[in-house]
Amino acid sequence: MKGLFGQITGSELKFVTQETTLPEVLDSHDVRIHVKACGLSPVDIKFLGEIGLQRDAIPVGREVAGIVQRVGPKVTFFQPDDEVVGILPLDSVCSGLSDVIDINEQYLVSKPEKLSCTSVAAALEDGLRAYSALHTHAHMAAGQTLLVVDGASSFGLMCIQLASYHGVKVLTTSHSEEQHVFLEQLRPRVGVQEPLVVRVIPVYKNPSELLPAIMEETGGLGVDIVVDQGVSLQEQERPEKDQAEETEATFLPHKHDIISMLAVGGHWVTSQQDMQLDPPDSRLMFLKSASVSFLNPQVWLASSSQQGRYLHILRDIMEKMSSGILRPQPEEAVPVQEAAATMEDVQHQHKKKVVVEM
């Protein structure tokens, strides 16, 4: 049986297929799953090293959906032929791109019959990130105003749908004309009683218009919540590698603009790992009694202290997908033979979501 693993070569991560084996006897609480689909997300080498889980061969592919083949003697939640979905723990030795894997039952939830394995594998991580950002960090409530940066991304769309369901007024940004057309379809129109988005701000035309547009839309009060997908730390920050990367970096909001658009008591949820606040920025946050938190959904799997809450989130994601509340962008599944080449692309383009069909 083969699986996909990452090998560190210098500062790069190379993806190779390796032979793997599973024990004949399952651990007491383990479940053996025949994998039907696996979502691919970038591997954070630095994070794995910092928590002591970096190894010579890093298993790739952790968001899995499949069918239970066998269960350990003490497994109580599942039985053979059950359809399940889950995220492999950080210390797992199994690659989700193997035909069969072993995983503890505490990391799995049941998959609704009406949902395809491909769709749930594509939505699992982004759904977890959206719940973490809006519920765990921002404590969103009906009537609040939210800015989702890059709403056309898979994570951004999850945030928009989840927030709109809970009665939050959503604003978002578009990074291309194609994205803008897509997001405009979510705005109010005849025959639609509950629009997902009240305004789409085309930052691809003029990034400096973001702050004025937010203040205009909120009557000068600002937004209660900002969820970003990275920020510009300096006004003059412009990558020079290629035009595509330069354009994407240009669209990132500057940290001072985000702080300026926060309402009194507002909350900023950031994915920028190295973000630092200068004294004037900290002073402005203090004057607004605002707060900032860092979004790292991997912590759900780095500690078992919140395991019950984590499983509740996964179950709720499945229920909301089944009822049509959460509708992730459809992802074209790639065959497992192209997994290694596809993962190279995913590793260098963090916003691209790919699902491998086994």
Side-chain angles (χ1 to χ4, degrees):
M1 183 176 62
K2 296 181 179 180
L4 187 66
F5 295 83
Q7 294 181 341
I8 300 176
T9 306
S11 59
E12 293 291 322
L13 192 63
K14 299 297 181 182
F15 300 98
V16 296
T17 301
Q18 294 183 359
E19 290 289 339
T20 62
T21 58
L22 294 176
E24 288 293 330
V25 180
L26 282 172
D27 287 345
S28 297
H29 292 280
D30 276 3
V31 176
R32 183 156 294 175
I33 301 171
H34 174 51
V35 180
K36 304 294 288 184
C38 177
L40 298 182
S41 299
V43 178
D44 192 337
I45 307 173
K46 183 178 180 181
F47 175 69
L48 292 176
E50 288 172 340
I51 63 175
L53 291 178
Q54 186 170 302
R55 58 192 75 162
D56 294 335
I58 303 172
V60 173
R62 295 176 47 230
E63 305 122 62
V64 297
I67 301 173
V68 175
Q69 285 188 339
R70 292 168 50 194
V71 298
K74 294 185 179 180
V75 171
T76 57
F77 297 141
F78 306 103
Q79 57 187 3
D81 297 327
D82 283 350
E83 292 186 309
V84 295
V85 60
I87 301 178
L88 291 172
L90 293 168
D91 60 354
S92 174
V93 296
C94 292
S95 163
L97 291 166
S98 302
D99 286 336
V100 181
I101 61 171
D102 290 347
I103 180 174
N104 190 289
E105 65 172 334
Q106 295 294 334
Y107 295 103
L108 297 170
V109 295
S110 297
K111 181 185 78 66
E113 186 177 350
K114 66 186 296 184
L115 298 177
S116 70
C117 289
T118 301
S119 65
V120 296
L124 205 55
E125 189 200 29
D126 290 316
L128 180 62
R129 288 181 65 199
Y131 267 76
S132 299
L134 297 175
H135 285 296
T136 308
H137 291 292
H139 304 291
M140 69 173 175
Q144 290 184 320
T145 305
L146 162 71
L147 170 66
V148 177
V149 177
D150 192 9
S153 65
S154 53
F155 168 61
L157 186 59
M158 278 289 193
C159 287
I160 289 172
Q161 294 171 336
L162 185 61
S164 178
Y165 172 74
H166 286 281
V168 174
K169 178 182 177 182
V170 182
L171 296 83
T172 189
T173 64
S174 57
H175 292 185
S176 69
E177 185 174 355
E178 182 181 5
Q179 289 185 6
H180 192 78
V181 172
F182 168 74
L183 291 169
E184 280 289 332
Q185 298 174 3
L186 308 180
R187 293 189 62 223
R189 59 187 190 275
V190 177
V192 178
Q193 295 182 347
E194 297 182 0
L196 296 179
V197 175
V198 296
R199 182 165 180 176
V200 182
I201 304 167
V203 295
Y204 67 95
K205 293 182 179 179
N206 186 359
S208 65
E209 288 300 311
L210 176 59
L211 179 57
I214 292 294
M215 301 313 287
E216 176 189 3
E217 185 66 35
T218 60
L221 297 176
V223 293
D224 300 295
I225 305 168
V226 174
V227 177
D228 70 40
Q229 297 189 60
V231 298
S232 174
L233 301 179
Q234 300 178 355
E235 293 285 2
Q236 70 275 16
E237 186 176 286
R238 293 292 185 272
E240 300 178 357
K241 292 182 181 179
D242 54 56
Q243 184 63 35
E245 185 176 350
E246 180 180 357
T247 302
E248 185 62 33
T250 303
F251 300 151
L252 294 178
H254 189 266
K255 60 180 181 180
H256 184 74
D257 287 343
I258 291 182
I259 296 172
S260 299
M261 69 180 65
L262 282 175
V264 172
H267 196 89
W268 172 17
V269 183
T270 182
S271 297
Q272 187 72 33
Q273 298 181 18
D274 59 348
M275 200 269 295
Q276 296 180 348
L277 295 182
D278 300 321
D281 294 329
S282 297
R283 179 63 182 176
L284 184 54
M285 293 283 285
F286 168 76
L287 292 174
K288 294 187 174 191
S289 191
S291 58
V292 59
S293 60
F294 292 85
L295 178 61
N296 178 17
Q298 303 290 356
V299 297
W300 290 109
L301 297 169
S303 171
S304 60
S305 63
Q306 299 288 326
Q307 190 70 22
R309 193 174 181 186
Y310 166 68
L311 289 176
H312 172 75
I313 292 174
L314 295 189
R315 292 189 186 101
D316 202 44
I317 293 172
M318 292 298 103
E319 290 175 6
K320 283 184 169 54
M321 285 185 65
S322 182
S323 60
I325 296 169
L326 295 180
R327 298 180 180 180
Q329 287 179 286
E331 299 290 343
E332 183 178 352
V334 301
V336 68
Q337 294 82 0
E338 300 176 12
T342 303
M343 189 61 203
E344 293 278 358
D345 190 40
V346 171
Q347 188 68 17
H348 293 92
Q349 299 182 33
H350 286 206
K351 294 182 180 178
K352 185 175 181 181
K353 187 72 182 179
V354 176
V355 179
V356 176
E357 205 165 51
M358 307 296 290

